[in-house]
Amino acid sequence: MSILVTGGTGYIGSHTVVELLEIGKDIVVVDNFSNSRPEVIENIKKITNKDFKFYEVDILDEEKMNQVFQENEIDAVIHFAGLKAVGESVKKPLEYYYNNITGTLILLKVMRKYNCKKIVFSSSATVYGNPGNPKYVETMGRGVPTNPYGKTKAMIEEILEDTYNADKNMSISILRYFNPIGAHPSGIIGENPQGIPNNLMPYIQKVAIGELKEVSVFGNDYNTKDGTGVRDYIHVQDLAVGHLKALEYLEKKGSGVYIHNLGNGQGYSVLEIINTFEKVNNVKIPYKITDRRPGDLDMFYADPTKAKNELGWENKKSLEDMCRDSWNFMKNN
Ligand code: NAD
Ligand code: UD1
């Protein structure tokens, strides 16, 4: 029996594949390399000393997805494959809806055909919309995300719920990630986006390495501890472990739809991130205060209690670890 990982050479997927291999799971990975590179496969093998099956397949290609299920006995799927850039999704909504929604529909259709009943889905804190209270808890329900990317996540959550309503043998785990940063401590895999990054940590990394001049801090007049935006950052390795716990939970609980936040429960400001990065890595990160970025919220963070109580999952790594590992990866690459 194998676990299929879609998008398994991407940032979070690759770290999860490492954790799965480390506990001896048999896995099959599919990715179309739209946002990752083939070297990641060798890098994962280097870290784990373990082999796995890889298919260069677009999940939109139903015929090839059928073939993957035909050739392997897939017991569960961890579904990372998707496009994730918020700004790009505003400019290319059709591409985002097509890739993320249609891709998931095809995956679910193929799973149904091959009687595969378990799926773990990468959702996002963005599905809460703007609930008014910065501490996001699962009982709040879904809000209205402000961009097509976020809407695909909310829509896929609904599609998964409807899929369960039609087949009560399905076991579905929806994981709502907060802000993943950091990299594998080996420095061999991590996140290295092409071009100018949109997210804070990749931007800081590129300033640290001298590729970009300074970080623009988007606003210092928010109602937060130092006026800059506050988010819940979580080490990608902790996040990866969350998927193993979610799979175990599905085994234990059986059928149902289970939703969990994966965050550390604490908010850090932009300036705290910059200062910690400078301190632990002994590098200078020049920055300037600029206008707010449209659409940004002042502050939000997870209530991770449900994941702790039900999945037995808790984040273990500190902000210092996240900053150290992010820099270590950047230096090595
Ligand atoms: P990523 O872009 O690094 O990884 C996604 C992978 O999916 C890439 O390797 C890409 O090539 C692949 N992919 C995309 N479309 C595909 C398709 N049609 N067929 C096959 N492969 C395809 O992103 P990530 O940061 O690892 O995110 C993984 C998942 O988690 C995504 O669904 C993302 O939306 C979600 N998520 C990410 C964050 C974050 O901050 N990184 C936060 C919340 C949710
Ligand atoms: C963004 C996405 C969100 C996604 C998340 C994780 C938006 C509006 N939301 O969230 O859907 O799930 O990434 O990938 O893009 N900042 C700066 N300067 C920068 C970059 C960011 O000051 O150059 C600030 C932001 O204003 C924010 C914080 O840093 O306060 C974190 O930003 P970012 O890393 O982009 O994540 P989010 O905005 O939380």
Side-chain angles (χ1 to χ4, degrees):
M1 288 293 220
S2 303
I3 298 165
L4 173 67
V5 184
T6 73
T9 53
Y11 174 47
I12 305 169
S14 59
H15 288 82
T16 305
V17 167
V18 166
E19 298 302 318
L20 288 164
L21 291 170
E22 304 276 23
I23 60 163
K25 293 287 182 191
D26 208 354
I27 62 159
V28 175
V29 172
V30 305
D31 204 297
N32 66 354
F33 298 128
S34 59
N35 196 36
S36 55
R37 300 186 186 89
E39 303 91 86
V40 173
I41 299 169
E42 286 318 309
N43 290 341
I44 292 171
K45 291 181 184 172
K46 213 186 289 173
I47 293 172
T48 59
N49 244 324
K50 302 220 169 103
D51 206 0
F52 60 93
K53 240 186 189 177
F54 177 81
Y55 291 83
E56 185 174 346
V57 163
D58 193 313
I59 58 165
L60 290 159
D61 187 335
E62 188 169 339
E63 207 175 302
K64 289 212 179 119
M65 288 299 286
N66 271 312
Q67 202 185 325
V68 171
F69 276 78
Q70 187 112 53
E71 291 176 8
N72 301 281
E73 213 178 317
I74 309 282
D75 171 51
V77 177
I78 307 183
H79 179 32
F80 294 105
L83 299 175
K84 64 161 183 175
V86 171
E88 186 183 60
S89 80
V90 176
K91 294 196 187 97
K92 297 181 173 175
L94 301 185
E95 282 80 357
Y96 270 69
Y97 286 119
Y98 185 57
N99 191 75
N100 293 4
I101 307 268
T102 309
T104 303
L105 292 176
I106 289 171
L107 172 67
L108 289 169
K109 202 170 147 203
V110 176
M111 285 176 66
R112 182 175 63 188
K113 182 165 169 195
Y114 288 88
N115 208 28
C116 176
K117 302 286 185 192
K118 289 189 217 107
I119 182 166
V120 179
F121 173 61
S122 302
S123 192
S124 164
T126 190
V127 303
Y128 287 104
N130 185 0
N133 183 334
K135 189 171 182 170
Y136 292 0
V137 58
E138 294 86 345
T139 48
M140 279 172 170
R142 276 183 293 272
V144 183
T146 52
N147 55 75
Y149 161 73
K151 286 180 190 165
T152 69
K153 292 292 171 195
M155 286 177 193
I156 294 169
E157 288 197 359
E158 289 192 44
I159 290 168
L160 290 168
E161 286 167 359
D162 288 340
T163 305
Y164 169 75
N165 289 335
D167 176 2
K168 293 272 165 42
N169 290 315
M170 292 290 294
S171 299
I172 298 174
S173 164
I174 291 171
L175 299 177
R176 293 179 177 162
Y177 312 156
F178 283 68
N179 291 50
I181 59 171
H184 193 269
S186 64
I188 295 175
I189 54 171
E191 185 171 37
N192 190 2
Q194 311 275 14
I196 298 189
N198 301 301
N199 297 118
L200 180 63
M201 183 52 85
Y203 207 103
I204 292 176
Q205 287 169 286
K206 295 213 171 190
V207 170
I209 204 98
E211 229 175 90
L212 295 169
K213 194 167 122 255
E214 60 192 358
V215 177
S216 297
V217 174
F218 298 147
N220 67 348
D221 57 352
Y222 284 111
N223 187 19
T224 59
K225 45 189 146 188
D226 59 21
T228 66
V230 166
R231 295 291 182 272
D232 180 326
Y233 296 90
I234 169 174
H235 196 292
V236 66
Q237 214 179 9
D238 279 333
L239 189 66
V241 170
H243 295 75
L244 276 49
K245 299 282 186 189
L247 277 176
E248 268 172 35
Y249 190 70
L250 292 183
E251 293 286 346
K252 189 174 90 185
K253 294 292 287 187
S255 61
V257 181
Y258 309 101
I259 302 184
H260 294 98
N261 285 341
L262 293 183
N264 80 67
Q266 211 183 325
Y268 296 106
S269 74
V270 176
L271 292 181
E272 279 176 317
I273 301 292
I274 293 176
N275 292 337
T276 308
F277 193 96
E278 287 186 323
K279 196 170 85 213
V280 301
N281 296 319
N282 200 19
V283 288
K284 196 85 202 110
I285 306 294
Y287 69 86
K288 64 164 189 252
I289 308 292
T290 65
D291 288 345
R292 292 180 176 193
R293 179 171 66 180
D296 268 352
L297 297 180
D298 54 354
M299 161 160 82
F300 63 82
Y301 46 90
D303 180 340
T305 314
K306 191 168 180 236
K308 185 177 177 196
N309 291 345
E310 294 186 350
L311 305 183
W313 174 87
E314 241 181 320
N315 82 296
K316 299 232 163 69
K317 304 220 169 204
S318 66
L319 183 59
E320 282 76 13
D321 297 326
M322 299 183 220
C323 290
R324 191 178 304 114
D325 291 338
S326 292
W327 178 226
N328 186 36
F329 171 73
M330 198 67 198
K331 275 190 302 188
N332 284 339
N333 292 275

